[in-house]
Amino acid sequence: MRRLDRYILAQLITAFGFFVLVFTGVVWLTQAVRLIDTVIASGQSAMVFLTFSALVMPQVFVIVLPLSGIGASLFALNRLYTESELVVMMSAGLSPVGLLRSVGAFGAMVGVAMAVVLMFLVPLSGGLLADRTQAIRSDLANALIVERQFLHPLPGLTLFIQDTSRAGEMSGIFLNDQREFLRPITYSAEHARLLREGDEARLVMLDGVALSLNERSQQMSTVRFDQFVFDLSDLLRDENARTRRPSEYSVIELVRPTEAMLASGRHSRGDFVAEGHYKLTLPLLATIFPMIALVTILAGGYRRSGFGRRVIVAIGVSALLQILVFVTRAQVQESADLWPLMYLPILLGILYVVVLARRLARPRRPSGALA
């Protein structure tokens, strides 16, 4: 039996590795678009993009691991069943309930991986990513002094620089300010310099022209200037004032938030408590998903036509439990005292597995013909 358990476990792990690669590529692409916008807008190198990609991977794994667990279980078990391998194993004395041993071990492995990612990697990488992002946005020299690129340092603000020098001097400046929608202004200057002192930053433009359009009167006004100072202080960020997000704290801190954590006022006690129990429920749910796949596929007996409907049922049950986690999390964010509700999906999943496992454990009555 131990050899059969190892064989089934090997099939599950192999399928799991395949699904992790596929889902990681798909989910990472959705995150890469945002990273590319951040890197390009700040004029950073490809190495910074690779660093950001590595730091965002734990967040990707939070989505990928549960999906890969249920996908690998359905794929491997369906293949073993349709090729009659499970039928032969059960004929040799391996009961359907005995299959839960190897599938449960696989689910426990996925749950442990989820716990490591959520409790250790996500807080660490999330904090580093937020710090690096804020540092890049605060670095005006790297963010603004980039040749021949249209940059968007702020929403509604577009900057283009023709040439730059090592001394920080710029030439061929184009600056379009649409932050006031009814009165956009476009600046063009021969030369410019970037000055920063403390929490203030100024772009000093020399020998240029300012064009503004009044949307109501549709009149264009032109102002030529020898020197014009444009305020860029909104771009500055005080790195020490950054408020940590709930996901950056440990589980022990989250379930019992301190007054210091609540002092900023940006996150309520419910936000911290909900995040803490969310990090506890997701690994448990990832552990249950493979067992849900097993009992759902075995519940209806062997069919030569395949198990397409059972696969859909298993996916539907898993998706419903995941949705319940999100719903109960939202309730806990409103009222932290309702945190036991977040474990309701776990109890429902265990109940589903136990009911179908007991049904499978019952001896089947022979049909009239066989009797």
Side-chain angles (χ1 to χ4, degrees), residues 138 140-141 144-145 154 157 159 161 168-170 173 175 179 191-206 227-236:
S138 300
L140 290 179
L144 297 180
I145 306 178
L154 286 174
L157 197 65
L159 176 65
I161 302 172
E169 297 180 353
M170 298 170 277
I173 310 301
L175 179 63
R179 289 177 293 179
H191 305 282
R193 289 186 63 89
L194 181 64
L195 303 178
R196 177 175 177 178
E197 181 179 356
D199 294 335
E200 297 182 355
R202 303 286 187 268
L203 181 65
V204 181
M205 293 181 282
L206 306 173
Q227 177 177 304
F228 183 83
V229 179
F230 189 84
D231 188 7
L232 293 173
S233 299
D234 292 340
L235 290 174
L236 299 180

Short mmCIF file of all heavy atoms in Angstrom, two decimals, residues 138 140-141 144-145 154 157 159 161 168-170 173 175 179 191-206 227-236:
data_model
loop_
_atom_site.label_atom_id
_atom_site.label_comp_id
_atom_site.label_asym_id
_atom_site.label_seq_id
_atom_site.Cartn_x
_atom_site.Cartn_y
_atom_site.Cartn_z
N SER A 138 10.49 58.74 -5.54
CA SER A 138 11.09 59.88 -4.85
C SER A 138 12.37 60.34 -5.51
O SER A 138 12.85 61.46 -5.24
CB SER A 138 11.38 59.51 -3.38
OG SER A 138 10.18 59.16 -2.72
N LEU A 140 13.85 61.99 -8.11
CA LEU A 140 13.46 62.84 -9.24
C LEU A 140 14.49 62.81 -10.36
O LEU A 140 14.14 62.92 -11.54
CB LEU A 140 13.27 64.28 -8.75
CG LEU A 140 12.05 64.53 -7.87
CD1 LEU A 140 12.00 65.98 -7.47
CD2 LEU A 140 10.78 64.15 -8.60
N ALA A 141 15.76 62.70 -10.02
CA ALA A 141 16.79 62.72 -11.06
C ALA A 141 16.61 61.57 -12.02
O ALA A 141 16.67 61.73 -13.24
CB ALA A 141 18.18 62.68 -10.41
N LEU A 144 12.94 61.85 -13.89
CA LEU A 144 12.62 62.92 -14.84
C LEU A 144 13.69 63.15 -15.89
O LEU A 144 13.36 63.50 -17.02
CB LEU A 144 12.37 64.23 -14.08
CG LEU A 144 11.18 64.24 -13.11
CD1 LEU A 144 11.07 65.59 -12.45
CD2 LEU A 144 9.89 63.89 -13.84
N ILE A 145 14.95 63.02 -15.55
CA ILE A 145 16.01 63.33 -16.51
C ILE A 145 16.29 62.11 -17.37
O ILE A 145 17.23 61.34 -17.15
CB ILE A 145 17.29 63.80 -15.78
CG1 ILE A 145 16.95 64.97 -14.85
CG2 ILE A 145 18.35 64.21 -16.77
CD1 ILE A 145 18.13 65.47 -14.05
N LEU A 154 3.15 62.28 -12.98
CA LEU A 154 1.91 62.44 -12.24
C LEU A 154 0.74 62.27 -13.20
O LEU A 154 0.88 62.51 -14.40
CB LEU A 154 1.82 63.83 -11.59
CG LEU A 154 2.70 64.09 -10.35
CD1 LEU A 154 2.58 65.55 -9.95
CD2 LEU A 154 2.29 63.19 -9.20
N LEU A 157 0.13 64.76 -16.23
CA LEU A 157 1.37 65.50 -16.48
C LEU A 157 2.26 64.69 -17.42
O LEU A 157 2.56 63.52 -17.15
CB LEU A 157 2.10 65.78 -15.17
CG LEU A 157 3.18 66.86 -15.17
CD1 LEU A 157 2.55 68.22 -15.44
CD2 LEU A 157 3.92 66.86 -13.84
N LEU A 159 5.95 64.81 -19.72
CA LEU A 159 7.23 65.50 -19.85
C LEU A 159 8.08 64.81 -20.90
O LEU A 159 8.17 63.58 -20.95
CB LEU A 159 7.97 65.50 -18.50
CG LEU A 159 9.38 66.09 -18.49
CD1 LEU A 159 9.34 67.58 -18.79
CD2 LEU A 159 10.05 65.84 -17.15
N ILE A 161 12.06 65.36 -22.77
CA ILE A 161 13.35 66.06 -22.76
C ILE A 161 14.15 65.59 -23.96
O ILE A 161 14.36 64.39 -24.15
CB ILE A 161 14.12 65.77 -21.45
CG1 ILE A 161 13.28 66.20 -20.24
CG2 ILE A 161 15.46 66.48 -21.45
CD1 ILE A 161 13.88 65.78 -18.92
N GLY A 168 23.27 67.83 -15.14
CA GLY A 168 21.86 67.94 -14.81
C GLY A 168 21.11 68.95 -15.64
O GLY A 168 19.92 69.18 -15.42
N GLU A 169 21.78 69.58 -16.62
CA GLU A 169 21.11 70.54 -17.49
C GLU A 169 20.33 69.81 -18.57
O GLU A 169 20.77 68.77 -19.08
CB GLU A 169 22.13 71.48 -18.11
CG GLU A 169 22.87 72.34 -17.10
CD GLU A 169 23.87 73.25 -17.76
OE1 GLU A 169 24.07 73.12 -18.99
OE2 GLU A 169 24.44 74.12 -17.07
N MET A 170 19.18 70.39 -18.93
CA MET A 170 18.31 69.79 -19.94
C MET A 170 18.02 70.80 -21.04
O MET A 170 18.00 72.00 -20.78
CB MET A 170 16.99 69.34 -19.28
CG MET A 170 17.16 68.26 -18.22
SD MET A 170 15.65 67.97 -17.28
CE MET A 170 15.76 69.30 -16.06
N ILE A 173 12.73 71.12 -23.87
CA ILE A 173 11.76 70.69 -22.87
C ILE A 173 10.34 70.84 -23.42
O ILE A 173 9.99 71.88 -23.99
CB ILE A 173 11.90 71.51 -21.57
CG1 ILE A 173 13.36 71.54 -21.12
CG2 ILE A 173 11.00 70.95 -20.48
CD1 ILE A 173 13.94 70.19 -20.86
N LEU A 175 6.48 70.17 -21.75
CA LEU A 175 5.74 69.82 -20.54
C LEU A 175 4.27 70.15 -20.75
O LEU A 175 3.91 71.29 -21.02
CB LEU A 175 6.29 70.60 -19.33
CG LEU A 175 5.59 70.36 -17.99
CD1 LEU A 175 5.75 68.91 -17.57
CD2 LEU A 175 6.16 71.30 -16.94
N ARG A 179 -3.76 68.66 -15.45
CA ARG A 179 -4.38 68.37 -14.16
C ARG A 179 -5.63 69.21 -13.93
O ARG A 179 -6.54 68.79 -13.23
CB ARG A 179 -3.35 68.59 -13.04
CG ARG A 179 -2.25 67.52 -13.02
CD ARG A 179 -1.21 67.81 -11.96
NE ARG A 179 -0.45 69.03 -12.27
CZ ARG A 179 0.51 69.50 -11.49
NH1 ARG A 179 0.82 68.87 -10.37
NH2 ARG A 179 1.16 70.61 -11.83
N HIS A 191 15.93 75.46 -22.46
CA HIS A 191 16.78 74.85 -21.44
C HIS A 191 16.00 74.75 -20.13
O HIS A 191 15.00 75.45 -19.93
CB HIS A 191 18.06 75.67 -21.22
CG HIS A 191 18.85 75.91 -22.48
ND1 HIS A 191 19.66 74.94 -23.03
CD2 HIS A 191 18.94 77.01 -23.28
CE1 HIS A 191 20.22 75.42 -24.13
NE2 HIS A 191 19.79 76.68 -24.31
N ALA A 192 16.50 73.88 -19.22
CA ALA A 192 15.87 73.74 -17.91
C ALA A 192 16.86 73.09 -16.95
O ALA A 192 17.81 72.42 -17.36
CB ALA A 192 14.60 72.91 -18.02
N ARG A 193 16.60 73.32 -15.66
CA ARG A 193 17.37 72.67 -14.60
C ARG A 193 16.40 72.23 -13.51
O ARG A 193 15.37 72.87 -13.27
CB ARG A 193 18.42 73.63 -14.00
CG ARG A 193 19.58 73.93 -14.92
CD ARG A 193 20.64 74.75 -14.19
NE ARG A 193 21.21 74.02 -13.07
CZ ARG A 193 22.27 73.21 -13.17
NH1 ARG A 193 22.87 73.06 -14.35
NH2 ARG A 193 22.75 72.60 -12.12
N LEU A 194 16.77 71.14 -12.85
CA LEU A 194 15.96 70.59 -11.77
C LEU A 194 16.60 70.96 -10.44
O LEU A 194 17.77 70.63 -10.20
CB LEU A 194 15.84 69.07 -11.90
CG LEU A 194 14.98 68.36 -10.84
CD1 LEU A 194 13.53 68.81 -10.95
CD2 LEU A 194 15.08 66.85 -11.01
N LEU A 195 15.86 71.64 -9.57
CA LEU A 195 16.36 72.06 -8.27
C LEU A 195 15.52 71.42 -7.17
O LEU A 195 14.29 71.39 -7.26
CB LEU A 195 16.30 73.59 -8.13
CG LEU A 195 17.05 74.40 -9.19
CD1 LEU A 195 16.85 75.89 -8.94
CD2 LEU A 195 18.53 74.04 -9.20
N ARG A 196 16.21 70.92 -6.15
CA ARG A 196 15.50 70.29 -5.04
C ARG A 196 16.14 70.73 -3.72
O ARG A 196 17.34 70.73 -3.56
CB ARG A 196 15.56 68.77 -5.15
CG ARG A 196 14.89 68.04 -3.97
CD ARG A 196 14.86 66.56 -4.17
NE ARG A 196 14.29 65.88 -3.01
CZ ARG A 196 14.10 64.57 -2.91
NH1 ARG A 196 14.45 63.79 -3.93
NH2 ARG A 196 13.58 64.04 -1.83
N GLU A 197 15.27 71.09 -2.77
CA GLU A 197 15.72 71.48 -1.44
C GLU A 197 14.69 71.00 -0.42
O GLU A 197 13.56 71.48 -0.39
CB GLU A 197 15.91 72.99 -1.35
CG GLU A 197 16.41 73.45 0.01
CD GLU A 197 16.62 74.95 0.07
OE1 GLU A 197 16.43 75.60 -0.98
OE2 GLU A 197 16.94 75.45 1.15
N GLY A 198 15.09 70.02 0.38
CA GLY A 198 14.19 69.47 1.38
C GLY A 198 12.99 68.81 0.73
O GLY A 198 13.12 67.92 -0.11
N ASP A 199 11.79 69.25 1.11
CA ASP A 199 10.56 68.68 0.58
C ASP A 199 10.03 69.45 -0.62
O ASP A 199 8.87 69.27 -1.01
CB ASP A 199 9.48 68.65 1.68
CG ASP A 199 9.84 67.70 2.81
OD1 ASP A 199 10.62 66.77 2.56
OD2 ASP A 199 9.37 67.93 3.94
N GLU A 200 10.84 70.31 -1.20
CA GLU A 200 10.40 71.10 -2.33
C GLU A 200 11.28 70.79 -3.55
O GLU A 200 12.49 70.61 -3.42
CB GLU A 200 10.45 72.59 -2.01
CG GLU A 200 9.51 73.01 -0.89
CD GLU A 200 9.57 74.51 -0.64
OE1 GLU A 200 10.41 75.17 -1.29
OE2 GLU A 200 8.76 75.00 0.18
N ALA A 201 10.64 70.75 -4.72
CA ALA A 201 11.36 70.52 -5.98
C ALA A 201 10.81 71.48 -7.02
O ALA A 201 9.59 71.71 -7.09
CB ALA A 201 11.19 69.08 -6.44
N ARG A 202 11.72 72.03 -7.82
CA ARG A 202 11.32 73.00 -8.84
C ARG A 202 12.01 72.66 -10.15
O ARG A 202 13.18 72.27 -10.19
CB ARG A 202 11.73 74.42 -8.44
CG ARG A 202 11.16 74.89 -7.09
CD ARG A 202 9.68 75.20 -7.19
NE ARG A 202 9.19 75.80 -5.96
CZ ARG A 202 8.67 75.11 -4.96
NH1 ARG A 202 8.60 73.77 -5.05
NH2 ARG A 202 8.22 75.72 -3.87
N LEU A 203 11.27 72.81 -11.26
CA LEU A 203 11.82 72.71 -12.60
C LEU A 203 11.89 74.11 -13.16
O LEU A 203 10.87 74.73 -13.46
CB LEU A 203 10.95 71.81 -13.48
CG LEU A 203 11.44 71.60 -14.91
CD1 LEU A 203 12.76 70.84 -14.91
CD2 LEU A 203 10.39 70.87 -15.75
N VAL A 204 13.12 74.61 -13.29
CA VAL A 204 13.33 75.97 -13.77
C VAL A 204 13.55 75.92 -15.28
O VAL A 204 14.56 75.40 -15.76
CB VAL A 204 14.55 76.62 -13.07
CG1 VAL A 204 14.74 78.04 -13.57
CG2 VAL A 204 14.36 76.59 -11.56
N MET A 205 12.59 76.46 -16.04
CA MET A 205 12.66 76.47 -17.50
C MET A 205 13.10 77.85 -18.00
O MET A 205 12.64 78.89 -17.48
CB MET A 205 11.30 76.10 -18.10
CG MET A 205 10.90 74.66 -17.82
SD MET A 205 9.30 74.20 -18.53
CE MET A 205 8.19 74.98 -17.35
N LEU A 206 13.97 77.88 -19.00
CA LEU A 206 14.53 79.12 -19.53
C LEU A 206 14.21 79.25 -21.01
O LEU A 206 14.22 78.26 -21.75
CB LEU A 206 16.05 79.12 -19.34
CG LEU A 206 16.56 78.87 -17.91
CD1 LEU A 206 18.07 78.75 -17.90
CD2 LEU A 206 16.10 79.97 -16.96
N GLN A 227 12.29 83.05 -17.90
CA GLN A 227 12.47 82.05 -16.85
C GLN A 227 11.12 81.74 -16.22
O GLN A 227 10.34 82.64 -15.91
CB GLN A 227 13.45 82.55 -15.78
CG GLN A 227 13.63 81.57 -14.62
CD GLN A 227 14.67 82.06 -13.64
OE1 GLN A 227 15.81 82.34 -13.99
NE2 GLN A 227 14.28 82.18 -12.37
N PHE A 228 10.84 80.47 -16.05
CA PHE A 228 9.58 80.05 -15.44
C PHE A 228 9.86 78.87 -14.51
O PHE A 228 10.58 77.94 -14.87
CB PHE A 228 8.55 79.64 -16.50
CG PHE A 228 7.21 79.27 -15.93
CD1 PHE A 228 6.29 80.25 -15.62
CD2 PHE A 228 6.88 77.95 -15.68
CE1 PHE A 228 5.05 79.93 -15.09
CE2 PHE A 228 5.65 77.60 -15.16
CZ PHE A 228 4.73 78.59 -14.86
N VAL A 229 9.31 78.93 -13.31
CA VAL A 229 9.53 77.90 -12.30
C VAL A 229 8.26 77.06 -12.17
O VAL A 229 7.18 77.60 -11.89
CB VAL A 229 9.90 78.52 -10.94
CG1 VAL A 229 10.11 77.41 -9.90
CG2 VAL A 229 11.15 79.38 -11.07
N PHE A 230 8.41 75.76 -12.41
CA PHE A 230 7.27 74.83 -12.32
C PHE A 230 7.44 73.98 -11.06
O PHE A 230 8.47 73.35 -10.85
CB PHE A 230 7.22 73.94 -13.56
CG PHE A 230 5.98 73.11 -13.66
CD1 PHE A 230 4.82 73.63 -14.21
CD2 PHE A 230 5.96 71.80 -13.21
CE1 PHE A 230 3.68 72.87 -14.31
CE2 PHE A 230 4.83 71.02 -13.30
CZ PHE A 230 3.67 71.56 -13.85
N ASP A 231 6.40 73.94 -10.23
CA ASP A 231 6.47 73.24 -8.94
C ASP A 231 6.28 71.73 -9.15
O ASP A 231 5.29 71.30 -9.74
CB ASP A 231 5.39 73.78 -8.00
CG ASP A 231 5.53 73.24 -6.59
OD1 ASP A 231 6.55 72.57 -6.32
OD2 ASP A 231 4.63 73.49 -5.77
N LEU A 232 7.24 70.95 -8.65
CA LEU A 232 7.16 69.49 -8.72
C LEU A 232 7.17 68.86 -7.33
O LEU A 232 7.48 67.68 -7.18
CB LEU A 232 8.36 68.94 -9.52
CG LEU A 232 8.39 69.27 -11.01
CD1 LEU A 232 9.71 68.79 -11.61
CD2 LEU A 232 7.21 68.64 -11.73
N SER A 233 6.79 69.61 -6.33
CA SER A 233 6.85 69.10 -4.96
C SER A 233 5.89 67.95 -4.72
O SER A 233 6.11 67.13 -3.82
CB SER A 233 6.54 70.24 -3.97
OG SER A 233 7.49 71.28 -4.10
N ASP A 234 4.83 67.85 -5.54
CA ASP A 234 3.89 66.74 -5.38
C ASP A 234 4.53 65.39 -5.67
O ASP A 234 4.00 64.35 -5.27
CB ASP A 234 2.68 66.94 -6.30
CG ASP A 234 1.84 68.12 -5.87
OD1 ASP A 234 1.95 68.52 -4.69
OD2 ASP A 234 1.07 68.63 -6.71
N LEU A 235 5.66 65.40 -6.38
CA LEU A 235 6.32 64.14 -6.70
C LEU A 235 7.08 63.56 -5.52
O LEU A 235 7.41 62.37 -5.51
CB LEU A 235 7.29 64.34 -7.87
CG LEU A 235 6.68 64.60 -9.24
CD1 LEU A 235 7.78 64.91 -10.23
CD2 LEU A 235 5.89 63.39 -9.69
N LEU A 236 7.41 64.39 -4.56
CA LEU A 236 8.24 63.94 -3.45
C LEU A 236 7.42 63.10 -2.49
O LEU A 236 6.26 63.36 -2.22
CB LEU A 236 8.83 65.13 -2.71
CG LEU A 236 9.74 66.05 -3.54
CD1 LEU A 236 10.26 67.19 -2.68
CD2 LEU A 236 10.89 65.26 -4.12
#
